[in-house]
Amino acid sequence: MPNMVIKGLGNYIPEKVYDNAYFESIVDTNDEWITRRTGIKERHIAADNEYTTDLATNAAKAAIADAGITPEEIDLVLLATVTPDYFTPCCACVVQDRVGAVNAAAFDFNAACSSFITGMVMAEQFIKNGTYKNILLVCADVLSKVADYKDRATCVLFGDAAGAAVLSADDNAAGVLASELGADGTGSMYITSLAVKEDPEEIEKRVSGRKETVWMAGQAVMKFAVKTMADATNRVLEKAGLTYDDIKLVIPHQANYRIVDSALNRMGIEKDKVMLTLEKYGNTSASCIPSALTEAVREGRIERGDKVAIVGFGGGLTWGAAVFEY
Ligand code: UT7
């Protein structure tokens, strides 16, 4: 049975930057509050005419180039987003066309910020059972298009980005050593972004009163996140028979520095083993992990053979954790 390896990685970060001073100019906030409560200094924002499929295509092309395969060799395009260009077509089909993955099946899925790990676990099934050899997994979002820029509690958190990986069959690699996915639908209304259902109660919660914005019960999500991140990572390490000493780098979902810090304390690991991109990009949803992974490799913080732990949580509520050999 082949194992699944990350053959190539890529990310795309839009050019425009909103720093904390920008938010001071639009809502009642300040750099000190945002820095102390979140750790975020800047976020990159898509241009007016730049959408999820545009960011996704750029990250996907970079990952394919990094993998050293041709687009025709891709068997499946999996794309995760909570900000699709359209309900239909799915973003995966648009990206399939734009990168020239003419032989690939394609579909979108949504496990919010846990999507990269969810996508890896899905891809692993197709690869291990021999259905596919090369899968392009892309996570992309333009949260700036749905942020409520009248709600200081949420708008300061989000940025736009895309991260992609080519996941391939390899008979000799160790690949994914253990993984876990989970959901807790009792918290489903803690993070909401509305679609076709008429829901006046939800619209009422939005400071702007605009249906097409994201709303979040920040504190409730934060409590869930701290516990879930540490517990899920501990469980996958145990399943793999490893300890934190075996792990070169932990890459968590980048939502809030305080969440990461509390989770690290629960895990009992040092900060220098953690990859953080939060300060410069903010929370970019599912792309946080693949984008940070791309940069960790680029910066030489991970090399082939190193063991890496990734852990995410988000809307749904969902979570996922995995440990793999890069
Ligand atoms: O990726 C999806 C998952 N999402 C997350 O992980 C987000 C999880 N939650 C969080 O990161 C935090 O809950 C937030 C950063 C969103 C908020 O931090 P908090 O420490 O939970 O603050 P809070 O909501 O309890 O608000 C404390 C105070 C309130 O004022 P009062 O009622 O104490 O007077 C807020 O109105 O801070 C106020 N506040 C702000 N003040 C200045 C909220 N947002 C701001 C702001 N600037 N931007």
Side-chain angles (χ1 to χ4, degrees), residues 9-12 54-64 136 138-139 162-165:
L9 285 163
N11 68 349
Y12 175 75
D54 302 312
L55 273 58
T57 301
N58 287 330
K61 284 182 175 169
I64 296 166
L136 174 65
V138 194
C139 299

Side-chain angles (χ1 to χ4, degrees), residues 42-57:
E42 292 183 339
R43 324 93 193 113
H44 287 245
I45 303 295
D48 289 348
N49 62 352
E50 218 176 14
Y51 292 94
T52 291
T53 53
D54 302 312
L55 273 58
T57 301

Side-chain angles (χ1 to χ4, degrees), residues 28-301:
D28 180 15
T29 191
N30 54 73
D31 175 52
E32 193 273 332
W33 191 97
I34 300 172
T35 307
R36 187 165 45 82
R37 298 266 183 159
T38 73
I40 301 166
K41 285 285 190 189
E42 292 183 339
R43 324 93 193 113
H44 287 245
I45 303 295
D48 289 348
N49 62 352
E50 218 176 14
Y51 292 94
T52 291
T53 53
D54 302 312
L55 273 58
T57 301
N58 287 330
K61 284 182 175 169
I64 296 166
D66 189 45
I69 64 167
T70 64
E72 292 83 2
E73 289 178 89
I74 297 168
D75 304 304
L76 175 66
V77 179
L78 290 175
L79 193 145
T81 186
V82 293
T83 52
D85 297 16
Y86 305 98
F87 286 130
T88 190
C90 68
C91 295
C93 281
V94 176
V95 172
Q96 184 249 24
D97 175 45
R98 290 200 193 157
V99 303
V102 290
N103 298 310
F107 63 90
D108 286 4
F109 68 101
N110 170 2
C113 305
S114 315
S115 290
F116 185 69
I117 297 153
T118 307
M120 272 183 73
V121 171
M122 271 201 282
E124 195 190 9
Q125 313 311 310
F126 287 121
I127 283 174
K128 284 202 148 170
N129 70 24
T131 307
Y132 296 131
K133 284 197 165 60
N134 294 304
I135 297 176
L136 174 65
L137 170 60
V138 194
C139 299
D141 272 299
V142 283
L143 290 174
S144 68
K145 312 264 187 221
V146 294
D148 186 342
Y149 285 105
K150 285 191 163 35
D151 181 1
R152 65 178 184 174
T154 54
C155 69
V156 299
L157 306 173
F158 303 128
D160 301 333
V166 172
L167 305 168
S168 301
D170 190 321
D171 291 327
N172 303 312
V176 179
L177 305 170
S179 63
E180 170 183 309
L181 299 178
D184 178 4
T186 62
S188 56
M189 301 314 275
Y190 288 171
I191 308 176
T192 57
S193 176
L194 303 184
V196 294
K197 183 177 169 179
E198 289 304 323
D199 194 336
E201 220 177 283
E202 274 300 315
I203 295 172
E204 181 74 30
K205 291 179 187 170
R206 280 133 173 91
V207 177
S208 64
R210 286 176 56 232
K211 179 182 176 179
E212 57 284 350
T213 56
V214 172
W215 178 87
M216 179 165 61
Q219 288 234 331
V221 177
M222 194 150 83
K223 275 186 204 138
F224 162 81
V226 171
K227 185 169 179 331
T228 307
M229 278 172 88
D231 292 356
T233 315
N234 289 343
R235 282 192 297 267
V236 291
L237 282 180
E238 200 183 322
K239 239 196 259 183
L242 300 172
T243 70
Y244 286 107
D245 290 340
D246 302 307
I247 301 298
K248 184 75 184 294
L249 200 64
V250 176
I251 305 182
H253 174 51
Q254 317 271 319
N256 180 328
Y257 181 71
R258 283 185 298 151
I259 295 176
V260 175
D261 197 41
S262 309
L264 294 184
N265 286 337
R266 284 174 78 105
M267 296 174 193
I269 57 169
E270 299 303 319
K271 287 192 184 64
D272 61 3
K273 269 200 175 175
V274 178
M275 181 73 188
L276 282 172
T277 56
L278 183 65
E279 185 176 332
K280 51 184 185 173
Y281 302 141
N283 180 351
T284 61
S285 189
S287 71
C288 285
I289 293 174
S291 177
L293 189 54
T294 304
E295 297 196 0
V297 171
R298 208 181 284 152
E299 290 168 18
R301 294 189 68 180

